Amino acid sequence: MMIAGNWKMNGLTADGVNLAKEITVAVKAKKRNCEFVVCPPFTLLSLVKKALRGGKIALGAQDCHAAEKGAHTGDISPVMLKDLGCSYVILGHSERRADHHETSAYVCQKVLAAHQAGLKTIVCIGETLEQREAGKTIDVCSRQVKESLPDGAKAADVVIAYEPVWAIGTGKTPTPQEVEDVHAAVRHVLAKKIGKVEAGKMRILYGGSVKPSNAAEMLSLPDVDGALIGGASLKSADFIAIADNAGC
Ligand code: 13P
């Protein structure tokens, strides 16, 4: 089980350091059998890395460029993230697909570059409300998985995050059955793409308005292997309550 926090574009120095310290203390407070990841904005990565010291929480970034270095003003390469102590990078988040016109093919290039740099990837997929209402959820998500993952992707390097766009930051969620249906379909697509064994091992997280009150239900579904948490990851008490309620 993985509990991952995506802080998005939030947090100045003091907020980020405090949040990381609080989470470190709370995670250490009891024996836990889950993997924890926090993904602060680029500006906080170094400071949060220091604040997490001594704990078992992995550091992740929220995006990277597909190139190792070069003339890409304002971008950050996967090698730079690795150098800062990141072990994960989130790629293909719907906010990047929407705000920066990232296609699945481009996400796939980033995934490859991240793996080459020694990072693990959290690859996001998910349908819009319009696509859901048109009955295209499974088609859209299947296609995103096929196109965003490189051939031969391994469960040790890739985590999928299913995040319905309409559930992000809205307080709305699909029903547990709807979540399970998508996750099972994703695993089926994965089995065809990377083989049954790797597909069985690959973690598929749910994201979109995860909070302490729905964590137990969402994270006990057979094909749900954890959560990617936005808003509720900005409060240590909520982030930890989600983990606790999920049995972590
Ligand atoms: P919320 O938890 O705020 O809905 O955000 C989910 C998300 O986008 C995580 O990547």
Side-chain angles (χ1 to χ4, degrees):
M1 181 80 76
M2 172 181 277
I3 302 292
N6 174 8
W7 295 4
K8 307 194 179 183
M9 195 172 72
N10 292 293
L12 301 182
T13 306
D15 314 314
V17 169
N18 287 339
L19 181 56
K21 283 186 179 161
E22 284 169 17
I23 293 172
T24 304
V25 170
V27 167
K28 266 195 206 162
K30 70 178 204 194
K31 195 165 159 27
R32 299 182 186 271
N33 52 3
C34 294
E35 187 176 355
F36 286 85
V37 186
V38 291
C39 304
F42 290 131
T43 47
L44 292 175
L45 286 171
S46 278
L47 289 164
V48 167
K49 177 77 190 168
K50 264 189 221 146
L52 295 175
R53 200 160 25 204
K56 286 196 184 137
I57 303 166
L59 184 68
Q62 300 171 16
D63 179 50
C64 69
H65 197 272
E68 193 183 317
K69 60 180 177 181
H72 301 287
T73 304
D75 277 311
I76 307 281
S77 90
V79 179
M80 293 168 174
L81 298 178
K82 181 72 184 169
D83 183 48
L84 277 186
C86 289
S87 3
Y88 283 94
V89 59
I90 297 172
L91 292 171
H93 192 284
S94 61
E95 286 150 15
R96 293 212 57 91
R97 291 179 189 260
D99 297 353
H100 301 273
H101 313 291
E102 292 189 7
T103 61
S104 290
Y106 187 44
V107 171
C108 185
Q109 288 179 30
K110 293 185 180 206
V111 172
L112 271 172
H115 292 166
Q116 262 159 22
L119 295 169
K120 297 175 190 179
T121 51
I122 300 175
V123 181
C124 302
I125 58 161
E127 82 287 359
T128 61
L129 186 58
E130 198 187 3
Q131 289 164 335
R132 170 159 288 257
E133 285 174 347
K136 292 185 182 152
T137 299
I138 302 275
D139 279 359
V140 168
C141 293
S142 300
R143 201 159 169 201
Q144 287 176 335
V145 169
K146 276 187 222 152
E147 294 177 358
S148 305
L149 288 200
D151 293 336
K154 296 275 181 240
D157 299 325
V158 179
V159 178
I160 307 275
Y162 168 53
E163 302 200 308
V165 177
W166 53 274
I168 296 176
T170 58
K172 293 182 192 149
T173 58
T175 64
Q177 187 59 53
E178 286 167 341
V179 170
E180 175 55 25
D181 288 348
V182 175
H183 281 231
V186 165
R187 214 178 286 285
H188 186 71
V189 171
L190 285 172
K192 281 203 206 139
K193 189 171 169 83
I194 60 172
K196 229 176 160 179
V197 174
E198 287 301 316
K201 287 192 285 190
M202 193 167 279
R203 287 169 293 180
I204 308 175
L205 313 182
Y206 169 74
S209 297
V210 175
K211 50 191 176 198
S213 59
N214 61 19
E217 193 172 34
M218 290 299 191
L219 301 189
S220 62
L221 296 165
D223 282 294
V224 175
D225 307 302
L228 181 56
I229 305 151
S233 73
L234 295 172
K235 285 191 193 136
S236 58
D238 285 350
F239 187 63
I240 294 301
I242 289 169
D244 285 342
N245 293 353
C248 287

